[in-house]
Amino acid sequence: MLLTVSGPPGSGKSTTAAALAAAFDLEHISGGDIFRQLAAERDMSAVEFNKLAEEDDQIDRDLDRRLRSIAVERDDVLLESRLAGWLAGDEADLRFWLDAPVDVRAERIADREDKAVDVAREETVTREASEAKRYMEYYNIDFSDLSIYDISLNTARWGESEVTEIITSAVEAYDPDDDEGKYPVEGVRYDF
């Protein structure tokens, strides 16, 4: 089984992905963890590293190539990243999109990173605009197009355990024999 969990910063991706991976005994691979590790290795914040990535497209391409290869070559994996659904493409069994209003996400990020909410909000909005621009330029991915996802969920409406329960229930209820077809992932340039 290959599951993907995608969404913007502060949407609950990591929390939900970890719980989902544990529930189905899947290896959890987080693009965000890899990105933050690369930033830390250069002694940079995620925002600073995003700005560098605007100038050096190899940063994104290396990370995205790694995630795409995992999706194509391996089984029993849960991929978590903003582009996981797009990068896994038709290889994914189920693709999930998590989101929440930007103010809610900024509060979560501020709490997690021990910073002011207004700073977290500004960094988040800047980061999202930067990433959306790069995804379109590099791969022809419109980040706002959610049509490829099997479920899109506003995580601000439920608590952590309820979000996990909703997604877990969807996976448990999935029967490939009853599957009439997922939305195909088309038009993406996997140009790494």
Side-chain angles (χ1 to χ4, degrees), residues 6-24:
S6 302
S11 62
K13 286 185 313 296
S14 297
T15 301
T16 304
L20 200 57
F24 295 101

Side-chain angles (χ1 to χ4, degrees), residues 32-184:
D33 286 349
I34 296 168
F35 190 84
R36 283 185 289 278
Q37 287 170 354
L38 293 171
E41 287 171 10
R42 294 182 185 206
D43 200 28
M44 301 176 92
S45 71
V47 171
E48 292 168 331
F49 201 51
N50 257 312
K51 288 180 183 174
L52 178 61
E54 287 179 1
E55 300 165 13
D56 181 0
D57 66 351
Q58 202 57 48
I59 292 169
D60 285 326
R61 293 177 192 278
D62 288 345
L63 173 62
D64 297 339
R65 178 180 39 253
R66 186 180 310 175
L67 293 173
R68 173 75 178 156
S69 294
I70 290 166
V72 170
E73 297 168 4
R74 294 170 53 188
D75 289 321
D76 296 327
V77 170
L78 184 143
L79 281 182
E80 172 212 339
S81 81
R82 254 169 301 303
L83 287 184
W86 289 98
L87 293 173
D90 294 333
E91 302 294 328
D93 292 296
L94 295 170
R95 298 179 294 240
F96 301 103
W97 176 264
L98 304 181
D99 205 347
V102 70
D103 290 335
V104 172
R105 294 187 291 111
E107 286 182 32
R108 291 174 178 172
I109 293 166
D111 188 47
R112 173 178 76 207
E113 298 179 6
D114 194 29
K115 61 176 68 172
V117 174
D118 59 329
V119 170
R121 188 182 199 290
E122 182 180 331
E123 288 177 351
T124 300
V125 169
T126 300
R127 182 177 174 187
E128 288 177 28
S130 171
E131 291 172 345
K133 177 182 170 187
R134 294 193 323 262
Y135 301 153
M136 180 56 79
E137 182 182 317
Y138 300 162
Y139 312 126
N140 196 39
I141 293 174
D142 177 358
F143 192 60
S144 65
D145 178 4
L146 304 181
S147 66
I148 67 160
Y149 295 98
D150 299 298
I151 291 179
S152 174
L153 189 65
N154 176 354
T155 63
R157 304 293 300 231
W158 295 273
E160 286 178 20
S161 61
E162 289 80 14
V163 168
T164 299
E165 184 179 325
I166 291 166
I167 301 292
T168 301
S169 294
V171 175
E172 289 172 343
Y174 176 70
D175 181 351
D177 293 335
D178 291 335
D179 188 344
E180 294 182 284
K182 58 186 162 188
Y183 282 97

